[in-house]
Amino acid sequence: FFLLDLIALSSVLEVIVITRKEIQKTLNLDTKMKLDFVCISDNMDMGTADSLRHIHQKIKTDVLVLSCDLITDVDLYKVVDLFRTHDATLSMLMKKTHEPTEVVPGQKGKKKPVEQRDFIGVDDTGKRLLFMANEADLDEELVIKRSILQKHPRMHIRTGLMDAHLYCLKKYVVDFLVENRTITSLRSELIPHLVRKQFSSPASLQQGLDNKEEDQKKKEQASLDIYSFIKEDNSLLKPAPDNSCWNDHRGDMNETLYEGKVRCYVHIMKEGLCYRVNTLGLYIEANRQVPKLLLNLGLEEPLVHGSAQITDRGMIGSDSIIGSSTQVGEKTSIKHSIIGSMCTIKDKVKITNCIIMNSVTIEEGCCLQGSVICHNAVIEKGADIKDCLIGSDQRLETKGK
């Protein structure tokens, strides 16, 4: 929902949505965009690259790819303009990694899962993406290719950046994926491959080369070469830059006209919202930001839906959201929480820092704190739960803890 609204604000006219049948049924959207839904079956285990291959016949030009777990208020033009200005092969979005501030329900102890860091290398402008490697793929050393340093002697290595899974890609990259079925993931396979290829020669020119990078080149030669999918420029246009009276050798177009054919760029957000809700902790954190996100997207909807029936509105916190057709009983307090649609919350219930999904029933006298309650769950009378995760269609017994 958020992504489609964001795309609509950017005046995009056509969108291809890859989803499952049951998800499509819930998307009742009033939009001027042309939405083409492509549904995949529940038993299909498709990676992000597999999804692009699945719809490649529908892709006729360069493409903007967004993951459904992204919640952001970024101006899409900042990523797209970077792509167009430099005639890039790839432009992508990154932002500083978020550390969840709330306790994750169901997690025992205070230990946080250890995630492997990404090492991101950019030039002095902070826009040209020169190097990308994950800590899991490295030994004890960080090896930088000589060919990178020859063209970019100053490179800034950054950690603590999150890949937002928002990519602008050339059409020939999709053609490359169609032929190279060994790649299943955009994030972990395709993007690092494109970044490495910026400073590598086409496979046809590598025969007879004797250098220290031979092992790495052999691995890349095992797959089809991206250069073979890049169409040559019209021969009449090639001499145009050199014959032009405009001196473009020093400006932003220098790399576009005089460096390699594969070029990767990154827009790093310095402020604003950017979450990938691919973990429970980040899902909870993103829900905390929903009121602010609605304001930033220009959606002037009330936090309490007009069809909600609330007996004591004074006991509803100003930062809580209550969905449509939800009923809230007498002397019920709701603070810092998100309540879904068609829920029934009876008298003398206290809810703090919780996420309550759709069609949940909470009976009289319950106390809920720091918990996530999934669809159609029933919390019976007098239950007292803290930092718990209650699954869909589950029932917690009377006075349960």
Side-chain angles (χ1 to χ4, degrees):
F1 171 79
F2 285 114
L3 274 186
L4 291 175
D5 269 327
L6 178 67
I7 294 169
L9 290 173
S10 301
S11 301
V12 175
L13 299 178
E14 296 185 13
V15 178
I16 302 172
V17 181
I18 305 174
T19 185
R20 301 189 188 280
K21 202 75 174 179
E22 63 270 19
I23 301 298
Q24 181 190 358
K25 294 177 181 178
T26 65
L27 295 175
N28 298 319
L29 300 172
D30 182 15
T31 177
K32 295 181 180 179
M33 295 187 299
K34 179 183 176 183
L35 299 179
D36 183 0
F37 285 95
V38 177
C39 296
I40 57 177
S41 62
D42 292 336
N43 57 4
M44 291 180 68
D45 185 15
M46 299 178 65
T48 47
D50 297 323
S51 299
L52 269 187
R53 272 192 289 266
H54 187 65
I55 62 167
H56 77 274
Q57 293 181 341
K58 296 176 178 287
I59 300 174
K60 306 301 181 183
T61 183
D62 300 340
V63 62
L64 177 64
V65 181
L66 300 93
S67 177
C68 63
D69 59 14
L70 174 64
I71 298 178
T72 182
D73 60 356
V74 68
D75 185 350
L76 291 180
Y77 283 114
K78 292 183 178 179
V79 181
V80 176
D81 286 350
L82 195 62
F83 179 78
R84 290 171 173 171
T85 299
H86 299 280
D87 192 25
T89 303
L90 158 76
S91 67
M92 61 187 296
L93 176 67
M94 287 188 174
K95 195 178 187 296
K96 184 178 179 181
T97 303
H98 293 282
E99 290 292 339
T101 57
E102 303 287 342
V103 175
V104 178
Q107 179 176 301
K108 295 182 179 180
K110 296 184 179 181
K111 291 185 178 180
K112 297 181 179 179
V114 178
E115 295 186 3
Q116 302 291 347
R117 295 177 297 172
D118 285 323
F119 293 90
I120 307 299
V122 295
D123 66 358
D124 284 334
T125 68
K127 297 179 179 179
R128 182 70 188 268
L129 182 57
L130 305 174
F131 179 82
M132 175 183 283
N134 186 270
E135 190 173 12
D137 300 325
L138 302 173
D139 295 326
E140 296 181 355
E141 298 178 344
L142 189 66
V143 179
I144 308 296
K145 294 168 65 175
R146 182 182 300 175
S147 56
I148 300 177
L149 297 177
Q150 286 175 340
K151 292 185 177 181
H152 297 273
R154 289 173 57 87
M155 179 167 60
H156 303 265
I157 300 291
R158 300 188 58 176
T159 58
L161 292 176
M162 175 196 72
D163 180 355
H165 282 219
L166 189 157
Y167 311 116
C168 274
L169 296 170
K170 284 287 192 186
K171 171 65 166 60
Y172 63 73
V173 176
V174 179
D175 297 335
F176 168 73
L177 278 177
V178 172
E179 298 298 328
N180 193 336
R181 295 185 173 273
T182 60
I183 294 178
T184 60
S185 168
L186 298 182
R187 166 66 186 88
S188 60
E189 297 177 73
L190 177 67
I191 304 304
H193 178 79
L194 294 177
V195 173
R196 289 195 303 268
K197 273 296 183 178
Q198 294 180 101
F199 306 101
S200 298
S201 302
S204 59
L205 300 178
Q206 291 182 3
Q207 295 180 357
L209 289 179
D210 184 16
N211 53 49
K212 297 179 181 180
E213 299 160 5
E214 184 177 354
D215 290 339
Q216 180 63 37
K217 291 182 182 297
K218 284 182 179 179
K219 292 180 181 178
E220 294 182 349
Q221 287 173 358
S223 61
L224 294 171
D225 188 33
I226 185 67
Y227 284 94
S228 63
F229 293 86
I230 302 176
K231 295 181 180 179
E232 291 291 336
D233 294 334
N234 190 310
S235 58
L236 293 176
L237 298 178
K238 285 184 179 180
D242 292 322
N243 295 336
S244 174
C245 61
W246 172 53
N247 186 356
D248 52 19
H249 293 254
R250 297 182 180 179
D252 288 342
M253 295 299 292
N254 183 48
E255 291 182 354
T256 305
L257 296 172
Y258 301 103
E259 284 205 5
K261 296 178 181 179
V262 177
R263 293 178 296 274
C264 301
Y265 289 83
V266 59
H267 173 65
I268 301 175
M269 287 183 68
K270 295 181 180 179
E271 56 185 17
L273 297 175
C274 187
Y275 290 89
R276 286 200 61 226
V277 289
N278 56 344
T279 67
L280 181 58
L282 290 175
Y283 172 77
I284 294 171
E285 187 74 19
N287 272 275
R288 301 280 183 262
Q289 302 295 329
V290 167
K292 182 178 179 181
L293 183 62
L294 290 174
L295 181 63
N296 290 349
L297 287 175
L299 302 176
E300 299 180 357
E301 298 182 5
L303 297 184
V304 177
H305 196 276
S307 64
Q309 300 178 21
I310 302 173
T311 305
D312 298 325
R313 285 186 175 264
M315 300 187 71
I316 307 300
S318 60
D319 57 353
S320 294
I321 296 179
I322 299 180
S324 62
S325 303
T326 286
Q327 300 178 6
V328 180
E330 294 183 354
K331 298 181 181 181
T332 290
S333 170
I334 300 176
K335 307 293 183 184
H336 314 298
S337 298
I338 310 292
I339 312 297
S341 300
M342 302 180 69
C343 294
T344 300
I345 304 173
K346 296 189 177 180
D347 300 342
K348 298 179 182 179
V349 173
K350 184 176 181 181
I351 300 174
T352 307
N353 284 329
C354 291
I355 298 173
I356 312 295
M357 298 186 187
N358 297 336
S359 303
V360 171
T361 299
I362 302 174
E363 298 186 354
E364 184 178 350
C366 293
C367 181
L368 285 69
Q369 181 177 346
S371 299
V372 176
I373 314 299
C374 296
H375 303 288
N376 301 310
V378 176
I379 311 298
E380 295 187 356
K381 185 176 180 180
D384 185 359
I385 61 176
K386 180 179 179 181
D387 299 333
C388 292
L389 176 62
I390 308 296
S392 298
D393 302 306
Q394 298 299 306
R395 178 180 290 269
L396 187 64
E397 296 179 354
T398 299
K399 296 184 179 181
K401 292 186 178 182

